[in-house]
């Protein structure tokens, strides 16, 4: 009886691992949550029943092929994708079983074996999913110590489950094994929930910043429009004045008068006016803050009015400028230089700021010194992801008194 319960529990956890494979390879389901649960439920019941009743390897393989193909259909209609995912998941699952069960147990068709080794093979499948996820999707938020810690959870569970086959009774082994499954499931479930909450927090910060920048840009545009209206209203008087000075050959006075008109129309809050309103709004918002907090702000921006990747560009500029402004603000010089040039499909961003020389560096990677390391870490990580997305280059050169960042995007 304990073997039956342990087999049912192991297969249930295997359904969870298969769902992780599906989400990693195919994305979110295209059908309702109820249909997803129904298909997984049917797959689980049929697969468990056939294994317990027949103990035939070919029946188990056939059932898994059909079941995984059916679950794949929940995520995509592509026959090629279904075939690839079904083959890959089945192959990985079979390889994990062959790596554990034949080594520690005697398996024969039609006969049962100690299900504690099935527990170990399922946990090994989870490790395989984690490694595959790291390789294929290149998830940067599961990196370094976090990735090692997550992989160690099922790894330690495998070692302990194999070593405790004695002196415990079958019932005790069943309870311990089910406990392993619960621990692994809860750890990964809670990690995913915390990651999601952290990403939502970051996205809310980005949205808040965008709203503030758009509000600031609208205010700048309204002020500029009011000045243009005032100038247009008095344009007849200005033209008459210039005509009189021209008749009197007062060239210097005409130049001064025109410069006064330009100064009247210009808006000191509008630091950047490339014509791309989305990018201008973020740049003006961040650079207005820089003007308030720093002593020297030099800006050179050359952007087309139409740019197809404005959101990604704004994420890069928002994060890098925020870091640069805060870094320069800690120095006596308080200097920031920004240069953006777009030529022949290549966008080049250079940001240089005065620097206090203090920086946390581990294993060749730079880490923020801000109190909210998790939030800012995601922001810097997103910059790297966007640069990789466009096969671009990112160069970071921290010096004694200067911090320099250069980004090149091939659009």
């Amino acid at each position: 009886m304990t073997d039956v319960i342990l087999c049912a529990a192991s297969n249930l956890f295997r359904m969870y691992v298969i769902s992780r494979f599906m989400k990693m390879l195919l994305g979110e389901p295209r059908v309702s949550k109820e249909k997803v649960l129904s298909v997984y439920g049917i797959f689980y019941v049929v697969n468990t029943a056939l294994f317990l009743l027949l103990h035939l390897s070919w029946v188990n393989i056939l059932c898994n092929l059909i079941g995984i193909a059916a679950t794949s259909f929940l995520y995509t209609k592509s026959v090629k994708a279904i075939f690839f995912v079904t083959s890959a998941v089945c192959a990985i699952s079979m390889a994990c079983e062959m790596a554990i069960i034949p080594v520690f147990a005697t398996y024969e068709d039609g006969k049962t074996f100690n299900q504690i080794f099935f527990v170990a093979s399922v946990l090994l499948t989870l490790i395989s999913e984690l490694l595959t996820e790291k390789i294929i999707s290149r998830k940067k938020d599961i990196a370094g110590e976090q990735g090692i810690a997550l992989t160690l959870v099922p790894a330690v569970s495998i070692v302990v489950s194999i070593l405790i086959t004695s002196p415990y009774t079958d019932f005790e082994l069943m309870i311990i094994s089910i406990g392993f499954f619960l621990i692994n499931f809860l750890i990964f479930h809670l990690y995913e929930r915390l990651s999601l909450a952290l990403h939502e927090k970051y996205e809310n910060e980005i949205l808040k910043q965008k709203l503030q920048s758009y509000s600031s840009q609208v205010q700048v545009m309204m002020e500029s429009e009011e000045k243009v209206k005032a100038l247009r209203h008095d344009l007849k008087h200005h033209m008459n004045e210039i005509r009189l000075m021209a008749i009197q050959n007062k060239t210097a006075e005409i130049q001064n008068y025109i410069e006064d008109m330009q100064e009247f129309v210009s808006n000191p809050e509008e630091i950047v006016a490339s014509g791309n309103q989305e990018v201008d709004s973020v740049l003006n918002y961040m650079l207005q803050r820089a003007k308030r907090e720093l002593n020297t702000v030099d800006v050179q921006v050359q952007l087309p009015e139409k740019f197809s990747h404005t959101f990604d560009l704004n994420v890069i500029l928002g994060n890098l400028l925020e870091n640069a402004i805060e870094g320069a603000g800690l120095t006596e010089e308080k200097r920031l230089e920004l240069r953006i040039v777009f030529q022949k499909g290549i966008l080049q961003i250079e940001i240089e700021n005065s620097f206090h020389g203090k920086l946390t560096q581990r294993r060749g990677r730079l880490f923020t010194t801000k109190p909210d390391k998790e939030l800012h870490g995601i922001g810097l990580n997103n910059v790297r992801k966007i640069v990789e997305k466009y096969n671009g280059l990112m160069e970071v050169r921290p010096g004694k008194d200067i911090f320099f960042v250069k980004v090149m995007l091939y659009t």
Side-chain angles (χ1 to χ4, degrees):
M1 185 62 185
T2 55
D3 275 348
V4 173
I5 297 175
L6 198 51
C7 175
S10 300
N11 206 26
L12 181 62
F13 190 79
R14 194 169 73 94
M15 294 297 128
Y16 165 68
V17 177
I18 290 174
S19 70
R20 289 180 61 92
F21 267 113
M22 295 297 170
K23 187 175 180 180
M24 181 256 296
L25 295 172
L26 300 175
E28 296 295 333
R30 60 183 181 83
V31 297
S32 65
K33 187 176 181 180
E34 291 74 16
K35 290 183 179 179
V36 173
L37 292 175
S38 299
V39 173
Y40 274 103
I42 294 171
F43 179 25
Y44 166 72
V45 171
V46 173
N47 185 254
T48 305
L50 290 176
F51 178 81
L52 290 174
L53 293 173
L54 302 178
H55 298 294
L56 296 175
S57 57
W58 69 270
V59 173
N60 192 39
I61 292 173
L62 182 61
C63 180
N64 276 285
L65 285 170
I66 296 173
I68 294 174
T71 55
S72 300
F73 187 72
L74 300 170
Y75 299 82
T76 180
K77 289 184 178 180
S78 172
V79 176
K80 290 183 180 179
I82 293 174
F83 177 79
F84 170 76
V85 171
T86 302
S87 303
V89 175
C90 281
I92 292 173
S93 181
M94 289 173 61
C96 292
E97 290 182 8
M98 292 177 66
I100 298 290
I101 296 174
V103 177
F104 298 98
T106 302
Y107 178 79
E108 295 181 18
D109 272 356
K111 295 183 180 180
T112 186
F113 58 89
N114 192 337
Q115 290 299 297
I116 193 69
F117 300 115
F118 187 36
V119 172
S121 70
V122 173
L123 291 170
L124 183 59
T125 308
L126 175 59
I127 294 177
S128 301
E129 188 276 332
L130 293 174
L131 296 176
T132 306
E133 186 174 7
K134 179 67 178 177
I135 294 170
I136 294 179
S137 60
R138 297 180 182 179
K139 290 184 70 173
K140 304 298 182 182
D141 46 338
I142 302 181
E145 294 82 357
Q146 293 179 355
I148 295 173
L150 287 173
T151 307
L152 280 177
V153 175
V156 171
S157 300
I158 291 173
V159 174
V160 175
S161 64
I162 292 175
L163 294 178
I164 63 171
T165 51
S166 62
Y168 296 99
T169 64
D170 290 343
F171 180 78
E172 290 171 336
L173 288 174
M174 179 190 71
I175 297 299
I176 293 172
S177 299
I178 293 175
F180 282 149
F181 286 139
L182 286 174
I183 290 171
N184 279 267
F185 172 76
L186 289 174
I187 287 176
F188 283 94
H189 179 70
L190 289 174
Y191 180 83
E192 289 175 354
R193 297 291 295 179
L194 288 173
S195 297
L196 180 61
L198 197 58
H199 277 285
E200 288 178 350
K201 180 181 179 182
Y202 170 73
E203 289 173 357
N204 288 335
E205 288 293 323
I206 289 292
L207 180 60
K208 180 181 177 181
Q209 187 183 83
K210 287 191 71 174
L211 289 174
Q212 290 174 335
S213 64
Y214 286 148
S215 176
S216 175
Q217 182 68 9
V218 169
Q219 184 64 31
V220 168
M221 292 172 65
M222 289 178 64
E223 290 177 2
S224 298
E225 186 177 354
E226 289 297 324
K227 289 187 175 183
V228 171
K229 285 182 179 179
L231 180 64
R232 186 185 299 118
H233 180 268
D234 297 328
L235 187 59
K236 183 185 296 185
H237 304 294
H238 294 309
M239 293 302 296
N240 289 332
E241 187 68 24
I242 292 173
R243 185 182 297 109
L244 287 174
M245 287 188 288
I247 293 172
Q248 298 172 9
N249 294 322
K250 296 180 178 180
T251 306
E253 285 82 353
I254 292 175
Q255 291 178 348
N256 292 333
Y257 196 89
I258 293 175
E259 287 175 2
D260 290 340
M261 291 175 63
Q262 289 177 336
E263 185 178 350
F264 175 80
V265 175
S266 65
N267 190 341
E269 298 295 323
E270 191 173 28
I271 303 170
V272 177
S274 69
N276 189 314
Q277 292 186 6
E278 292 187 14
V279 178
D280 287 350
S281 63
V282 172
L283 285 175
N284 282 320
Y285 174 73
M286 298 302 298
L287 293 174
Q288 285 168 23
R289 173 184 165 189
K291 289 276 190 180
R292 291 193 300 268
E293 299 180 11
L294 306 180
N295 297 331
T296 305
V297 179
D298 295 327
V299 181
Q300 181 182 356
V301 177
Q302 180 187 340
L303 270 175
E305 292 187 8
K306 293 184 179 180
F307 190 77
S308 56
H309 309 295
T310 53
F311 178 81
D312 290 337
L313 178 57
N314 282 342
V315 172
I316 292 175
L317 292 173
N319 282 285
L320 294 183
L321 283 173
E322 182 178 7
N323 292 338
I325 294 169
E326 292 186 5
L330 298 175
T331 66
E332 293 183 2
E333 189 178 358
K334 298 183 186 297
R335 180 180 62 86
L336 170 68
E337 294 182 10
L338 169 66
R339 180 174 178 267
I340 303 176
V341 179
F342 184 80
Q343 290 180 338
K344 298 180 180 180
I346 300 176
L347 178 67
Q348 184 171 306
I349 304 169
E350 294 181 1
I351 300 177
E352 181 179 300
N353 61 276
S354 54
F355 184 52
H356 54 52
K358 298 178 182 178
L359 192 67
T360 302
Q361 186 169 353
R362 296 197 303 270
R363 299 178 183 177
R365 291 185 61 190
L366 302 177
F367 290 83
T368 180
T369 56
K370 301 170 189 175
D372 196 350
K373 292 182 174 59
E374 292 81 5
L375 184 59
H376 289 286
I378 292 176
L380 295 173
N381 200 24
N382 279 346
V383 172
R384 296 189 187 96
K385 286 182 179 179
I386 293 171
V387 173
E388 292 174 0
K389 175 181 176 181
Y390 298 103
N391 299 315
L393 300 172
M394 182 174 179
E395 179 185 358
V396 180
R397 294 205 307 263
K400 182 179 179 181
D401 302 314
I402 295 174
F403 194 94
F404 177 79
V405 179
K406 182 178 180 179
V407 171
M408 293 183 67
L409 300 179
Y410 302 95
T411 60

